[in-house]
Amino acid sequence: MGFFRQEHWSPWPRVQGNRQHQATRRMCSYESSFQPAQFLLLVGVPLASAVLLVQCLRWRCPRRLLGSCWKLESQEEPAPPPTPLPEDESSRAGLPATLQEVATFYQELHTPTQGQTVIRQLMHKLLVFSAREVDHRGGCLMLQDTGISLLIPPGAVSMGRQERVSLTLVWDLTDAPSLSRAQGLVSPVVACGPHGASFLKPCTLTFKHCAQQPSQARAYSSNTALLDTKAWKPLGRPGDHTSRDECRIHLSHFSLYTCVLEAPVGREARKWLQLALFCSPLAPGQSHLQLRVYFLNNTPCALQWAVTNEQPHGGRLRGPCQLFDFTGARGDQCLKLKYISEGWENVDDSSCQLVPHLHIWHGKCPFRSFCFRRKAAKDNEDCSALTNEIIVTMHTFQDGLETKYMEILRFQASEEESWTAPPPVTQPPACNRLPPELFEQLQMLLEPNSITGNDWRRLASHLGLCGMKIRQT
């Protein structure tokens, strides 16, 4: 309705009938006697005035009111409310408003951390990062307790130069690739910075994955900066960069990287989960207790995310995590409450909770919780001996597979337990007789946790040594 169709235009109205036809002929003859200048005055001036009026309205009316100015003519319906951003684009809403904020973000991210791993929220993103300067001798960066490392070999930086590099674990789940139902996220998103930096020799990025078949895991890269909209593309074929539980990529330049599980058509894709139980301490007289079960990728950094997420709530990890064989071709995950010790009751209406399949398959780190309450003591009955301890048993399985595969989760807590952190042990300064470059490379190889537990911590426990002694060998 806002557009016009003009097949013929005349400054004079059309007239019908014989008399009107004769009058029209006289007027037309009179019109033909007009000079061009007179015609311009009669026609051009009104048109020019109308154009000037429209321009004034455009200049005087703000843009947000311009639509309402034109609505009188077009009679269009009001515009619908803006469509919400999709999940993979929701991070755009947190982009910095000024170039100065962007510069400050990257400056803090690339400032040397003196070998420390820093956890910080920058520009609405929860990040774990480390940064340092490297020269022609090379060097390595590691993110503590995450299994993520970056090796810059000797000769990668020209003689006499120093390059500032950073390694970042991105805990903002919106930065992960947009996946189909057939694809599963099996690793963290890792950023090497500064974005686009190149070296004389390839650098090696290493991080863990949880795919059961490494040949089905494919590395992905987004050649964008951390604050830009991501553009994920596969690197080679599935299995090119993956071993049993590790993804290793030789980098020609720095960008963002992750690993995605892609099973061939007709074959079933599976990955390992770790089930982690968290709750706050059980204090004397406490009437309620909440238990939370996380369904995490079986990678060290996923567990560290859960630990960090629980800190504001006072939650502590209860016991070792349990492995779970999760398949991409099955239904939702069920968590069923089977037993509560005497003296306690379930506050929730249901004893069974569901976790959507794609929340786990796409690595969203979901959790489910149960809340328990002490039962009120009856007359002449002392329940204190029963309620100072709670024992819970739960079953978890994928929908439709309860009779084939199921994990049993047991939880126990009591008021007598010591939940306080052990006092720090004063250790003498480390005596390192190895060259710094060799020591860093050995530390990088020994530090990451293994899915099967075959790492230096297990070896140390068999030898009766603590981890601190191994670090200072």
Side-chain angles (χ1 to χ4, degrees), residues 301-416:
C301 60
L303 181 59
Q304 290 302 315
W305 176 87
V307 171
T308 304
N309 191 56
E310 285 287 325
Q311 286 178 355
H313 313 290
R316 308 280 184 86
L317 179 64
R318 296 294 299 175
C321 298
Q322 291 185 228
L323 289 180
F324 188 88
D325 180 7
F326 191 81
T327 174
R330 298 295 179 178
D332 298 337
Q333 187 78 12
C334 302
L335 181 64
K336 185 177 292 186
L337 181 63
K338 301 297 290 185
Y339 171 78
I340 313 175
S341 57
E342 190 176 354
W344 292 84
E345 60 184 353
N346 181 23
V347 176
D348 302 314
D349 296 333
S350 174
S351 61
C352 183
Q353 299 192 29
L354 294 179
V355 184
H357 173 266
L358 288 183
H359 288 191
I360 299 177
W361 192 237
H362 290 171
K364 301 298 183 183
C365 303
F367 71 88
R368 290 295 180 266
S369 63
F370 285 107
C371 186
F372 307 106
R373 176 177 54 204
R374 296 182 196 256
K375 290 183 178 180
K378 298 180 180 179
D379 296 338
N380 301 326
E381 182 179 353
D382 183 12
C383 292
S384 59
L386 298 176
T387 60
N388 64 356
E389 181 182 53
I390 179 172
I391 302 174
V392 176
T393 302
M394 294 170 288
H395 292 178
T396 184
F397 51 89
Q398 283 189 263
D399 192 18
L401 294 178
E402 182 176 8
T403 58
K404 294 183 179 180
Y405 178 62
M406 175 182 63
E407 284 293 332
I408 301 175
L409 303 176
R410 291 185 176 90
F411 166 79
Q412 181 176 358
S414 62
E415 295 177 358
E416 290 80 11

Side-chain angles (χ1 to χ4, degrees), residues 1-5 70-76:
M1 296 297 293
F3 297 93
F4 300 92
R5 177 177 293 178
W70 285 109
K71 184 182 175 184
L72 297 176
E73 179 179 335
S74 62
Q75 295 298 323
E76 293 180 353

Side-chain angles (χ1 to χ4, degrees), residues 29-295:
S29 63
Y30 181 72
E31 178 186 354
S32 63
S33 66
F34 279 179
Q35 297 297 325
Q38 295 174 330
F39 180 79
L40 287 176
L41 285 175
L42 289 175
V43 178
V45 170
L47 285 177
S49 301
V51 171
L52 266 171
L53 180 60
V54 170
Q55 294 296 332
C56 290
L57 286 175
R58 286 180 178 272
W59 179 69
R60 298 285 296 178
C61 293
R63 288 190 178 271
R64 67 176 180 271
L65 299 178
L66 193 57
S68 61
C69 295
W70 285 109
K71 184 182 175 184
L72 297 176
E73 179 179 335
S74 62
Q75 295 298 323
E76 293 180 353
E77 293 296 325
T83 305
L85 290 174
E87 183 176 355
D88 60 341
E89 295 181 5
S90 60
S91 60
R92 297 182 189 177
L95 288 179
T98 65
L99 294 178
Q100 180 61 37
E101 290 177 337
V102 175
T104 302
F105 170 83
Y106 288 115
Q107 180 179 2
E108 186 167 1
L109 200 62
H110 300 147
T111 300
T113 58
Q114 311 302 325
Q116 301 297 317
T117 298
V118 180
I119 302 177
R120 191 169 300 166
Q121 186 164 352
L122 301 175
M123 299 306 300
H124 311 289
K125 294 182 181 292
L126 185 59
L127 306 174
V128 183
F129 61 93
S130 180
R132 61 169 293 177
E133 291 183 344
V134 295
D135 53 19
H136 66 280
R137 296 172 295 180
C140 68
L141 292 91
M142 291 184 301
L143 301 181
Q144 186 178 0
D145 297 327
T146 64
I148 303 173
S149 61
L150 175 65
L151 174 65
I152 297 94
V157 179
S158 58
M159 184 75 70
R161 287 181 57 86
Q162 281 194 339
E163 296 288 345
R164 186 171 291 185
V165 296
S166 66
L167 179 63
T168 305
L169 165 62
V170 183
W171 272 345
D172 186 351
L173 301 180
T174 60
D175 285 329
S178 298
L179 304 177
S180 66
R181 296 185 65 89
Q183 295 175 309
L185 190 68
V186 291
S187 80
V189 173
V190 182
C192 300
H195 166 65
S198 58
F199 296 85
L200 301 178
K201 293 183 179 181
C203 303
T204 304
L205 173 65
T206 304
F207 53 89
K208 296 292 185 179
H209 71 79
C210 61
Q212 292 194 21
Q213 295 294 332
S215 60
Q216 298 176 355
R218 174 186 281 185
Y220 272 69
S221 172
S222 177
N223 191 18
T224 56
L226 188 53
L227 291 180
D228 294 343
T229 302
K230 310 304 179 292
W232 291 101
K233 296 181 180 180
L235 291 178
R237 297 172 301 178
D240 284 352
H241 303 281
T242 53
S243 59
R244 181 181 180 183
D245 63 347
E246 196 171 69
C247 186
R248 180 167 297 190
I249 307 174
H250 298 289
L251 308 180
S252 58
H253 68 283
F254 282 178
S255 192
L256 280 81
Y257 305 91
T258 191
C259 191
V260 175
L261 183 59
E262 298 177 345
V265 178
R267 298 187 61 182
E268 194 173 59
R270 313 173 80 94
K271 70 176 183 178
W272 289 110
L273 299 182
Q274 53 183 336
L275 310 178
L277 279 71
F278 287 84
C279 80
S280 56
L282 179 60
Q286 181 177 331
S287 61
H288 291 74
L289 182 70
Q290 188 182 53
L291 178 65
R292 293 172 292 278
V293 181
Y294 284 78
F295 299 84

